[in-house]
Amino acid sequence: MDTDEVMRRYRDPRFRGDPASLGAEAEGVRITAASGENTLCGDSLSVAFHVRECLGGDAIVERGCYEGYGCSLCIASAEAVMEAVRGRSVADCLALSEEEVIEALGAVEVGRSRKKCLRLPLEAMRAALSSF
């Protein structure tokens, strides 16, 4: 199941970090966070996003990070999600699909028992950004 892309992202995470590293909120900027768990596999993640509210009601995700632990698929998925949302509108982020994450991971085949590992970062991201 583990492809080269999954293992590369797992071994060399770029978006792992303390949500406090996003800095303090400023005018027009909000930090939003959420956590999630996959008890079947033992994955546990907290995600945080630095979101800039723009004129006209749009909101853009400037950057995001996560902390926690998980299997290689979960961490690689978190990496792919953080990369995908950077610079996108909150509405686009909320529409990010499981298929887009799979594609970013090298079109890895994910069996039914591992889908929750892949979905956990997506679900946490949606929970964090749903307040916009």
Side-chain angles (χ1 to χ4, degrees), residues 18-26 29 31 50 63:
D18 183 355
S21 69
L22 293 177
E25 294 183 29
V29 173
I31 297 171
H50 192 252
R63 61 186 185 269

Side-chain angles (χ1 to χ4, degrees), residues 80 84 88 92 95-105:
R88 291 173 78 171
D92 284 348
L96 184 66
S97 71
E98 184 178 311
E99 290 75 23
E100 289 175 275
V101 174
I102 290 171
E103 190 65 33
L105 296 177

Side-chain angles (χ1 to χ4, degrees), residues 66-124:
Y66 67 93
E67 64 179 356
Y69 49 88
C71 66
S72 59
L73 182 58
C74 181
I75 297 301
S77 178
E79 288 286 318
V81 168
M82 293 301 146
E83 183 176 68
V85 300
R86 193 172 201 171
R88 291 173 78 171
S89 72
V90 168
D92 284 348
C93 294
L94 292 172
L96 184 66
S97 71
E98 184 178 311
E99 290 75 23
E100 289 175 275
V101 174
I102 290 171
E103 190 65 33
L105 296 177
V108 62
E109 290 187 35
V110 180
R112 277 187 333 150
S113 64
R114 300 293 306 276
K115 288 283 187 171
K116 181 70 175 163
C117 304
L118 179 85
R119 289 185 191 127
L120 178 60
L122 273 170
E123 292 168 359

